[in-house]
Amino acid sequence: MSNLQVQIDVTRPEDAEPILEISRNVGVFSAEEVETVDELLGEYFSLGAVKSGYYFITGRIGEQVVGFACYGPRALTHGTFDLFWIATDKAFGKQGIGGLMLQRIAVDVKGIGGRLIVAETSSRLDYTPTRRFYETHHYQCEAVVADFYAPGDDLVMYIQRL
């Protein structure tokens, strides 16, 4: 990890556009997925994290948004949380920012009674770095569901027990 002074904090309204820009530029999210990030941000800002079920955090260097994550409780479970999104600005990739966000998520989730974090991703080749990222940060591959997203595009489910 570099010597960047990264701060991880709750997402503010002024972070929305930079978050969407990161989502557009990360290289793996479809237009529909970016639209979904925008919708979840809208719910987060209008209802708050607890009522919406979407907790957003933002990584910043100074005032520059360099990454974000969104997580929340999984319906009909006790203490299970989904990690919906995590992304870092491509200009700041591989500098430890994503790992810092995962650490913050684990602390926050544990602090509100969480015991398990689930991260679901794709088996596509362009998601290989994502899968390595989870594995590097002690997430365990718990399940693979063949052809889940599309023929030949499996769901790969990672978990972290807290």
Side-chain angles (χ1 to χ4, degrees), residues 15 35 41 61 66 71 81 92 118 121 127 142-143 156-157:
D15 299 334
E35 211 173 280
L41 277 166
I61 297 174
V66 295
Y71 59 95
F81 280 69
F92 294 90
V118 177
T121 193
Y127 274 88
E142 187 74 9
V156 184
M157 180 185 291

Side-chain angles (χ1 to χ4, degrees), residues 50-115:
V50 174
K51 283 189 178 178
S52 70
Y54 303 116
Y55 292 72
F56 274 87
I57 58 171
T58 299
R60 293 183 193 82
I61 297 174
E63 287 302 307
Q64 182 178 1
V65 173
V66 295
F68 78 96
C70 175
Y71 59 95
R74 188 158 192 148
L76 305 175
T77 68
H78 298 281
T80 299
F81 280 69
D82 284 311
L83 174 55
F84 298 111
W85 305 96
I86 187 165
T88 303
D89 185 317
K90 286 176 101 171
F92 294 90
K94 299 194 185 314
Q95 297 187 48
I97 296 167
L100 290 172
M101 288 191 293
L102 284 180
Q103 289 173 8
R104 169 67 184 265
I105 291 166
V107 167
D108 289 355
V109 166
K110 196 169 185 178
I112 53 178
R115 59 182 180 77

Side-chain angles (χ1 to χ4, degrees), residues 16 20 31 34 41 58 67 93 98 118 122 124 130 136 140 154 158 162:
L20 294 174
V34 173
L41 277 166
T58 299
V118 177
S122 170
R124 290 187 343 225
T130 302
T136 298
Q140 303 298 314
D154 306 342
Y158 287 91
L162 303 175

Side-chain angles (χ1 to χ4, degrees), residues 116-123 127-128 130-146 149 154-161:
L116 185 69
I117 300 172
V118 177
E120 297 177 345
T121 193
S122 170
S123 68
Y127 274 88
T128 300
T130 302
R131 294 188 303 276
R132 278 196 209 121
F133 169 75
Y134 289 127
E135 292 163 3
T136 298
H137 291 90
H138 310 293
Y139 277 67
Q140 303 298 314
C141 182
E142 187 74 9
V144 176
V145 180
Y149 294 108
D154 306 342
L155 165 78
V156 184
M157 180 185 291
Y158 287 91
I159 63 163
Q160 183 180 62
R161 296 185 189 284

